[in-house]
Amino acid sequence: MLCYPVISDGMVFTCFLLICIAMPTVPNDCEIRVIEVRVRNFRSLEKVSVCLDSLTVLVGGNNSGKTNFLEALYLAIGAVRRPVSAEDIYLAPTEIKIPRNREIIVDVLIRPTDIEGTIVPQFPAGSYWLELWGIGVAQDDEDNDFVGIRTAVKWNPTQGEYLIERRFMKEWPDNLEDMETAKITTLVVAMDKIEPLALHLMDAKRDISDELRDRGSFWHKLVSDPGLTEKAIEELERRLTKLNEDIVTNSTVLKHAQESLDEMSIALDPSGGNLELSPTARTLRDLSKGMDLHYAARGSHMFPLTRHGMGTRSVAAFHVFRAYMIWRQRRSTSGKFHPMLALEEPESHLHPQAQRALFQQVAAMPGQRIISTHSPYTAREAKISQFRHFFKSGSSTSVSQMDLSSINPDDIRKLERMVMNTRGELLFARGIMMCSGETEEQALPVFAEKYWGRHPNDLGITILGVGGDCAYLPFLRMVKAFNIPWFIYSDGEVMAVQKVNIDLKKAGEEIDSPNLITIPNGHNIERCLTSTGKYKEELIRTFVSFKAQSDEQRVALEAEWAKMNNVMQEICADLCT
């Protein structure tokens, strides 16, 4: 358990000074990382824990809770404070009304790291972060420093609304189940304590058009101060004034408009008021108001970004944010700034190659980045250790990640090569049916649709061939680690069943698991379909339709197959090849 030092109120300051003095002298190159986030009672997140890396990729089906997690983290350490309503409170399936005493809790665990990103035991004496958080820095059972920030949202009956408060935590319980009983300090966490690591959230609706219009956007924060000297500003504004005068003087329409405005100014203020037409900005502080971005594809005319497609506008919004964060990091007066970006669906409106390129650009950014995605092309670029899988059952979300500590490097590479590089869509399935070959992969969706009355894709179920009876292990490891419901449909031949059971055992499953469905009578699927005459007409019709290149050939093949005495054996042999 991570604990706050046990000292009385009167000894706090003295002990804090002694701790700082006793710390070993190390270079003041200290960074931080948000290690873990725990959420309680926020929308579908009844109680979840998510560990964060420098780059974390959230995967899972639609409405599984990925956006809810990003919103919960933004509520805790977001760059802008957001209001909370009753719709943000978790509601159980059996509940009709949200209890007023139900609280949202978001706990954030922060650890010191070196400049390489490796977690270190203590904040160095005199470090920026130690001075920022002061006695909010606590120690665990092994005297390692941490900072825990609890954001609690409670109903205030007097004000008739939900209020947000943030406090430092005295301890960080080892178990998620104990989070509500963790000891909290009386130290209120003001926004200035969060601002150097504040999370910036870019949702899937990002658009450079909105950035250019919004006075509080990253774009206007970036360009509002061009960083020019007073002398340069004075000279440039003189030129802008002259430019405005020249435009008006040389334009018949604008000159006429200015003359009318002069009459208006006399009517408003006979003593000498002045109303001037300004086709362009006259001061540098107003320059950003009319600033625009233009883009031209190779061989095309230049057009404003607002006239380009959503893909281009979405990418432009991201790069404006990237420029802002890098510029802010360079300009930080303290020298310490921990950029945190949450990017929802970076694949929005982009083709696969652009998705992969954007992921690499996000990965190269400083600080911590959290990506939520539905794209197998984006997921393919990430490492398996970076995935956090969200799965929703009923009204509640669960989050899991793969433990790679017991898997050797060769098997990890095989997992990435066989699963992630070719079948990344499995990360988003609600259930998976695995089979060994192509016949099953093509036939089972047809059977399933006939049985359910809906295609498996409509139900979020993926049916895939793994490429052989001994190729199940990488897929088993993934679905088990991410708690995705699964079944295996195997040939019933003795050797095939033995190979499947070997993979089941390696994956920690029972031999002859109830999730293993085998074809009876020792048959493979081809013999199962052709062992009786039940499907004879359907199989002949299918084979003829597949092989015939014309109506004449179809008629000839039908006559040929109708006369064949061993037609089912021929079909079985053809299927097996």
Side-chain angles (χ1 to χ4, degrees):
M1 178 182 292
L2 308 183
C3 301
Y4 197 86
V6 182
I7 52 180
S8 66
D9 291 340
M11 296 173 61
V12 167
F13 184 70
T14 303
C15 288
F16 178 68
L17 288 177
L18 291 174
I19 290 171
C20 291
I21 294 171
M23 284 182 179
T25 302
V26 296
N28 189 16
D29 291 332
C30 179
E31 304 294 339
I32 59 169
R33 189 198 306 167
V34 175
I35 300 297
E36 185 180 357
V37 180
R38 293 173 175 175
V39 184
R40 178 79 162 118
N41 294 330
F42 186 81
R43 299 180 187 172
S44 68
L45 308 181
E46 182 183 11
K47 185 179 285 188
V48 301
S49 171
V50 181
C51 294
L52 299 182
D53 293 329
S54 295
L55 175 61
T56 306
V57 181
L58 313 183
V59 294
N62 286 327
N63 298 314
S64 59
K66 301 184 296 297
T67 297
N68 290 347
F69 173 74
L70 296 180
E71 291 281 0
L73 184 57
Y74 193 74
L75 171 67
I77 58 171
V80 179
R81 303 195 73 164
R82 65 179 299 278
V84 177
S85 66
E87 286 72 24
D88 293 319
I89 312 296
Y90 172 77
L91 184 67
T94 58
E95 294 177 322
I96 299 175
K97 187 178 180 181
I98 298 171
R100 288 299 192 192
N101 62 349
R102 180 166 294 165
E103 301 179 13
I104 294 175
I105 298 175
V106 185
D107 291 344
V108 178
L109 174 64
I110 304 166
R111 291 279 202 178
T113 72
D114 60 21
I115 57 175
E116 301 297 327
T118 304
I119 297 174
V120 296
Q122 283 88 32
F123 290 98
S127 76
Y128 169 78
W129 302 107
L130 188 61
E131 293 180 357
L132 177 69
W133 291 316
I135 56 176
V137 177
Q139 285 75 44
D140 61 19
D141 293 338
E142 298 179 353
D143 291 329
N144 295 320
D145 287 352
F146 75 93
V147 173
I149 298 176
R150 164 160 295 185
T151 301
V153 180
K154 305 177 183 179
W155 175 257
N156 186 296
T158 304
Q159 300 185 29
E161 61 180 342
Y162 286 96
L163 299 183
I164 304 172
E165 66 175 27
R166 297 179 179 87
R167 299 187 185 276
F168 287 111
M169 303 177 68
K170 291 183 178 181
E171 62 183 8
W172 188 271
D174 294 332
N175 299 315
L176 174 64
E177 298 302 319
D178 298 328
M179 68 175 290
E180 289 176 283
T181 59
K183 297 177 182 178
I184 310 299
T185 73
T186 58
L187 301 173
V188 176
V189 182
M191 284 303 296
D192 66 307
K193 305 296 183 185
I194 296 175
E195 199 276 336
L197 58 81
L199 177 72
H200 295 272
L201 174 60
M202 301 189 72
D203 64 24
K205 301 185 293 293
R206 59 191 171 273
D207 188 340
I208 191 62
S209 301
D210 299 330
E211 288 283 307
L212 295 174
R213 290 193 301 265
D214 184 2
R215 301 296 297 170
S217 69
F218 301 122
W219 170 254
H220 283 282
K221 290 177 181 178
L222 179 65
V223 302
S224 60
D225 181 7
L228 300 171
T229 64
E230 291 185 5
K231 184 177 180 180
I233 292 174
E234 182 180 354
E235 173 59 22
L236 289 171
E237 290 185 349
R238 184 189 65 78
R239 294 183 187 178
L240 287 172
T241 300
K242 182 65 166 60
L243 176 62
N244 276 277
E245 292 173 352
D246 290 344
I247 293 174
V248 173
T249 301
N250 289 280
S251 169
T252 305
V253 175
L254 294 181
K255 187 175 182 180
H256 171 72
Q258 180 64 67
E259 291 171 352
S260 297
L261 291 173
D262 289 339
E263 294 177 4
M264 172 184 168
S265 63
I266 293 173
L268 291 175
D269 186 1
S271 63
N274 189 26
L275 184 61
E276 292 187 358
L277 179 63
S278 298
T280 66
R282 286 179 175 269
T283 64
L284 288 182
R285 65 178 177 272
D286 294 330
L287 201 58
S288 62
K289 295 179 181 178
M291 199 175 294
D292 203 350
L293 297 175
H294 289 71
Y295 173 73
R298 180 176 296 180
S300 301
H301 291 288
M302 185 78 70
F303 290 105
L305 274 178
T306 53
R307 292 179 58 185
H308 286 271
M310 279 302 303
T312 302
R313 285 149 55 184
S314 174
V315 172
F318 163 74
H319 281 282
V320 165
F321 170 81
R322 179 173 176 268
Y324 166 73
M325 296 300 277
I326 294 174
W327 181 251
R328 181 181 170 184
Q329 191 173 36
R330 292 176 182 173
R331 299 274 298 227
S332 177
T333 56
S334 66
K336 292 298 176 185
F337 169 58
H338 184 69
M340 289 199 68
L341 167 66
L343 182 61
E344 190 177 25
E345 298 180 24
E347 67 271 13
S348 294
H349 312 289
L350 298 179
H351 59 78
Q353 288 83 356
Q355 292 178 31
R356 291 192 283 264
L358 183 60
F359 180 91
Q360 296 300 331
Q361 292 166 350
V362 174
M365 288 181 63
Q368 280 186 265
R369 294 126 295 155
I370 309 170
I371 294 173
S372 73
T373 181
H374 293 118
S375 168
Y377 303 106
T378 298
R380 179 182 302 175
E381 300 300 310
K383 298 178 181 178
I384 293 177
S385 60
Q386 295 170 332
F387 289 125
R388 304 295 181 266
H389 186 269
F390 284 66
F391 188 87
K392 189 175 180 182
S393 178
S395 64
S396 186
T397 292
S398 61
V399 184
S400 56
Q401 68 182 94
M402 184 170 286
D403 181 8
L404 301 176
S405 59
S406 60
I407 305 178
N408 66 58
D410 287 340
D411 285 341
I412 293 175
R413 284 192 290 271
K414 185 181 294 185
L415 183 60
E416 291 178 334
R417 183 179 69 254
M418 294 182 62
V419 181
M420 300 316 308
N421 287 348
T422 60
R423 305 307 296 262
E425 70 273 12
L426 301 183
L427 293 169
F428 312 99
R430 292 187 58 81
I432 294 174
M433 169 69 80
M434 293 173 275
C435 52
S436 63
E438 291 183 8
T439 303
E440 296 95 321
E441 190 171 17
Q442 295 177 37
L444 289 177
V446 178
F447 297 157
E449 184 173 12
K450 187 70 175 178
Y451 180 79
W452 286 320
R454 299 177 64 184
H455 195 279
N457 290 342
D458 297 338
L459 303 172
I461 297 173
T462 296
I463 298 175
L464 72 135
V466 300
D469 295 321
C470 54
Y472 289 99
L473 184 58
F475 298 92
L476 280 169
R477 281 174 167 157
M478 189 205 75
V479 296
K480 282 174 58 63
F482 294 147
N483 296 322
I484 302 174
W486 61 274
F487 287 90
I488 291 177
Y489 184 81
S490 170
D491 290 338
E493 298 157 321
V494 174
M495 186 64 70
V497 175
Q498 288 178 349
K499 291 178 178 179
V500 174
N501 277 320
I502 290 173
D503 281 355
L504 285 169
K505 185 176 180 180
K506 288 181 179 179
E509 285 292 318
E510 298 177 5
I511 292 178
D512 295 324
S513 164
N515 290 48
L516 173 62
I517 302 167
T518 57
I519 297 175
N521 302 320
H523 287 167
N524 58 26
I525 191 171
E526 291 81 8
R527 289 191 180 91
C528 179
L529 292 173
T530 58
S531 59
T532 68
K534 186 176 181 180
Y535 306 110
K536 180 178 178 179
E537 292 183 3
E538 289 83 355
L539 287 170
I540 290 176
R541 187 164 54 248
T542 300
F543 267 73
V544 168
S545 175
F546 179 74
K547 292 176 177 291
Q549 302 295 318
S550 64
D551 290 341
E552 293 80 5
Q553 189 178 11
R554 179 179 57 79
V555 173
L557 284 172
E558 285 177 349
E560 178 184 344
W561 283 75
K563 296 177 182 178
M564 197 177 297
N565 293 325
N566 58 344
V567 63
M568 298 308 287
Q569 290 88 335
E570 289 291 332
I571 290 176
C572 181
D574 207 321
L575 284 171
C576 290
T577 57

